[in-house]
Amino acid sequence: MNWRGVYAIYRFEMARTGRTLLQSIVSPVISTTLYFVVFGSAIGSRITDVGGVSYGAFIVPGLIMLSLLTQSLSNAAFGIYFPRFIGTIYEILSAPVSAFEITLGYVGAAATKSLMLGVIILATASFFVPLEIAHPLAMLFFMVLTCFGFSLFGFIIGIWADNFEKLQLIPLLVITPLVFLGGSFYSIDMLPDVWRTVSLFNPVLYLVSGFRWSFYEIADVSPLVSLTAITFFLGACLMIVWLIFKTGYRIRA
Amino acid sequence: MTDAGSGLPTGEPVISIRGVSKTYGDGFTALSDVDLDIEQGEIFALLGPNGAGKTTLINIVCGIVGASAGRVLVGGNDNVAKYRQARELIGLVPQELHTDAFETVWNTVSFTRGLFGKKTNPAHIEQVLKALSLWDKKDGEIMTLSGGMKRRVMIAKALSHEPRILFLDEPTAGVDVELRKDMWNLVRELRGTGVTVILTTHYIEEAEAIADRVGIINKGRLILVDEKAALMAKLGRKDLMLQLEKPLTAIPESLAAYGLELRNGGRELVYTFDVVSKRTGVTRLLNDVKKAGLTVCDIETKQSSLEDIFVGLVKETA
């Protein structure tokens, strides 16, 4: 195992984060604050409690998930796409690092960045609403799994994309709608029967539900089902990454 | 037996390429059945026109591109099965200037060392940067550097992990005279420490000036590999130039069989002959020149350059 190689990639990626602090940390914090002001305070004050939790507090897990998902995707996707785009990938490919080590370096850095962001948003939220976390360990576990799962997914997108548009395609057109329709801002119990059934096909619902359960012990689906779903997603992404390196898809001509 | 300095087996080629072919997805065959041994500590020049397959060959050895057939041993290690051991030995300077923009010189060079699994060694990085006249730029962002400086950074990266084999892909394309000189000095210094250097070029003078051996590649086939001197002797033709006391207006009929050329306003007779043939015809020519009543005041011979050889070979295989 070439740990020095993994660390070199990890450090390089974290340094990139450091250079784009405004875009990667400040901007999500501002947008989260805006969500709290609009949904939590302005609209939320006119909404009754959801499952015994004030609306402002109810949306906190969903908001964190929204940021974790989109940021994990775009960080990891950009992290591997950019060296491909400017050609510096030659160095990674000719170095004595395995596919696993390359993935660990890039995905590890993207996941770390998302985790930091999740913690920052959580801290921001605590200024607006009284927070209680029923199962802190479970919460952390969901957060870590989600960060790694979606960073892996982003890594796959970054390898698949051959232009900047494709890089943004899935985060914007697939993930954002799925998060909004995945019960981030409501419980699916509030939906008519038909839409509730449709929602059950949305994978993000399971993430948000499990994560919210770790805060308030209220959930749309059983937390165990949530855990299974995210583990399955992580496994599927790992499998795809393995296949990508095995076949050299878009990496080794 | 191993060489104490490098840990590589001695007496065996440091790189052994056997039956390597590469056909790309679109059906284009970049390399066909290439066999090549690179000896330890030599400077090997791979010569060929653009698109001949030089870069593809390098990329296959370095692991950037997978071969369609054949195998490559680097320091005795199969470059696929034992890619770590194989790649650790290699430093690569690609043809294109692929650099990060915002990293500092120091960080990008240290990054490469880490990537190759080597323990940090600021003293070595310092030495490399100084050798490449990059020391005063070490804290500068790469994007603030000129093209020539960026090329130096790429060389520094390749040397950061103390490779035993250095690949220089078209190292002097678009490089100024000073950097070219520095680069050749560096290459000679590296060879002094036992590093094997493989460079590709389409500038013949470069190969002629620096290489020990030359391989000529065209349309994906390695046409010929030989010692530079042997190659030039084997394939070289020589020009014999006779300076005449009195200029001629035409070549005398008695000398017509020699295929002579008249230059310098008739003051110089040029006879081209094959160095390797047993009968060069020089003696006979000189006798006939005397018989024709011409007075020769000076004689000079000139070896044809690698470029002449190269052009001849590439035309033959075209």
Side-chain angles (χ1 to χ4, degrees):
Chain A
M1 187 79 185
N2 179 0
W3 286 109
R4 289 200 188 97
V6 175
Y7 180 64
I9 296 175
Y10 183 85
R11 218 177 74 152
F12 177 87
E13 281 298 293
M14 292 311 280
R16 196 167 61 81
T17 310
R19 284 194 298 265
T20 54
L21 219 55
L22 203 69
Q23 179 203 330
S24 46
I25 302 288
V26 178
S27 130
V29 168
I30 290 178
S31 60
T32 311
T33 307
L34 290 175
Y35 277 117
F36 276 118
V37 171
V38 175
F39 289 109
S41 308
I43 298 173
S45 59
R46 290 159 196 270
I47 297 177
T48 51
D49 290 357
V50 186
V53 181
S54 76
Y55 185 69
F58 178 85
I59 63 169
V60 171
L63 272 179
I64 294 175
M65 274 292 160
L66 175 68
S67 287
L68 289 192
L69 262 52
T70 50
Q71 290 298 311
S72 296
L73 275 185
S74 57
N75 285 334
F78 195 78
I80 186 69
Y81 177 75
F82 203 60
R84 287 179 57 220
F85 179 69
I86 61 171
T88 51
I89 190 84
Y90 84 87
E91 209 178 9
I92 308 282
L93 296 179
S94 63
V97 285
S98 67
F100 177 70
E101 287 154 1
I102 295 172
T103 311
L104 191 63
Y106 280 107
V107 171
T112 306
K113 196 168 146 184
S114 304
L115 268 177
M116 283 163 39
L117 189 70
V119 172
I120 291 171
I121 294 175
L122 195 63
T124 312
S126 69
F127 287 108
F128 294 91
V129 288
L131 274 183
E132 42 178 308
I133 303 169
H135 306 283
L137 273 181
M139 185 214 63
L140 204 65
F141 193 62
F142 268 113
M143 216 148 109
V144 171
L145 280 186
T146 307
C147 289
F148 268 97
F150 278 77
S151 294
L152 265 175
F153 189 32
F155 188 73
I156 295 167
I157 294 171
I159 288 172
W160 163 77
D162 47 16
N163 58 42
F164 275 97
E165 199 185 29
K166 278 191 184 171
L167 203 60
Q168 295 293 334
L169 202 70
I170 292 186
L172 284 177
L173 291 184
V174 181
I175 298 304
T176 307
L178 284 183
V179 176
F180 272 86
L181 302 174
S184 301
F185 301 106
Y186 53 85
S187 164
I188 57 168
D189 288 338
M190 300 172 172
L191 297 175
D193 276 353
V194 182
W195 289 109
R196 194 182 321 170
T197 313
V198 170
S199 293
L200 289 175
F201 288 97
N202 180 350
V204 175
L205 173 83
Y206 297 86
L207 287 179
V208 174
S209 169
F211 195 49
R212 184 176 292 131
W213 169 85
S214 68
F215 281 77
Y216 312 122
E217 292 187 307
I218 50 170
D220 289 325
V221 291
S222 148
L224 276 178
V225 174
S226 291
L227 189 65
T228 313
I230 174 75
T231 312
F232 179 78
F233 178 72
L234 194 71
C237 287
L238 276 174
M239 188 66 112
I240 295 171
V241 169
W242 182 78
L243 274 174
I244 283 174
F245 279 101
K246 176 103 178 147
T247 59
Y249 172 75
R250 301 243 179 169
I251 295 188
R252 274 176 231 275
Chain B
M1 210 171 83
T2 59
D3 171 359
S6 63
L8 295 173
T10 50
E12 280 172 36
V14 71
I15 296 178
S16 166
I17 298 168
R18 285 288 171 271
V20 165
S21 299
K22 176 68 188 177
T23 303
Y24 283 100
D26 57 5
F28 173 70
T29 300
L31 287 177
S32 320
D33 198 23
V34 171
D35 290 325
L36 177 63
D37 281 338
I38 305 288
E39 302 304 328
Q40 198 170 315
E42 72 173 335
I43 300 179
F44 187 90
L46 198 55
L47 268 172
N50 288 325
K54 304 185 293 283
T55 301
T56 302
L57 188 60
I58 288 187
N59 284 350
I60 286 175
V61 175
C62 295
I64 295 172
V65 170
S68 309
R71 76 185 295 214
V72 178
L73 299 181
V74 181
N77 309 296
D78 185 293
N79 81 332
V80 177
K82 293 173 88 179
Y83 69 95
R84 284 187 203 269
Q85 290 89 331
R87 292 184 194 171
E88 269 169 13
L89 299 171
I90 300 176
L92 166 65
V93 184
Q95 189 177 340
E96 307 285 335
L97 284 176
H98 298 307
T99 54
D100 289 299
F102 306 104
E103 285 280 299
T104 65
V105 171
W106 179 271
N107 284 349
T108 197
V109 175
S110 304
F111 167 77
T112 307
R113 190 178 168 89
L115 202 58
F116 277 74
K118 285 275 166 76
K119 214 172 138 185
T120 51
N121 183 350
H124 175 71
I125 306 282
E126 180 177 337
Q127 188 198 330
V128 168
L129 292 184
K130 281 182 174 164
L132 286 159
S133 314
L134 282 168
W135 184 242
D136 56 333
K137 307 268 185 198
K138 69 180 165 68
D139 298 317
E141 286 183 357
I142 300 169
M143 64 175 177
T144 64
L145 302 179
S146 67
M149 281 293 174
K150 282 181 186 154
R151 176 80 60 186
R152 286 171 196 258
V153 170
M154 301 204 53
I155 300 170
K157 281 164 85 74
L159 294 175
S160 68
H161 61 96
E162 300 161 67
R164 302 304 303 161
I165 303 162
L166 181 67
F167 279 98
L168 296 166
D169 195 359
E170 301 276 351
T172 50
V175 152
D176 61 20
V177 181
E178 197 189 344
L179 177 50
R180 193 175 295 203
K181 256 201 257 163
D182 279 5
M183 198 130 61
W184 296 150
N185 286 336
L186 185 78
V187 165
R188 290 193 188 98
E189 263 173 48
L190 283 170
R191 183 176 55 175
T193 63
V195 173
T196 308
V197 180
I198 297 126
L199 59 102
T200 72
T201 180
H202 50 251
Y203 296 122
I204 319 283
E205 316 86 71
E206 235 163 65
E208 205 165 351
I210 201 161
D212 300 314
R213 286 200 308 151
V214 177
I216 295 176
I217 190 168
N218 190 38
K219 296 190 171 170
R221 290 185 185 278
L222 200 57
I223 304 168
L224 181 122
V225 178
D226 213 334
E227 304 280 332
K228 182 182 62 183
L231 183 71
M232 283 171 38
K234 188 155 57 176
L235 290 161
R237 302 175 75 80
K238 270 191 164 179
D239 285 344
L240 173 70
M241 285 157 291
L242 304 174
Q243 308 294 335
L244 304 174
E245 209 172 55
K246 288 177 188 159
L248 290 175
T249 48
I251 295 164
E253 230 166 82
S254 59
L255 300 176
Y258 293 96
L260 301 177
E261 196 188 330
L262 205 53
R263 285 188 205 155
N264 264 356
R267 287 187 179 276
E268 188 179 81
L269 267 179
V270 183
Y271 171 56
T272 306
F273 63 99
D274 198 337
V275 204
V276 279
S277 80
K278 277 193 177 156
R279 290 163 187 265
T280 57
V282 172
T283 321
R284 214 150 39 90
L285 172 73
L286 290 177
N287 277 332
D288 287 348
V289 165
K290 198 177 163 191
K291 278 185 200 161
L294 304 175
T295 316
V296 176
C297 56
D298 196 9
I299 294 179
E300 194 188 342
T301 64
K302 202 181 116 204
Q303 177 98 49
S304 59
S305 71
L306 207 45
E307 177 148 14
D308 303 330
I309 300 172
F310 178 67
V311 170
L313 268 175
V314 169
K315 268 193 192 148
E316 257 172 53
T317 58

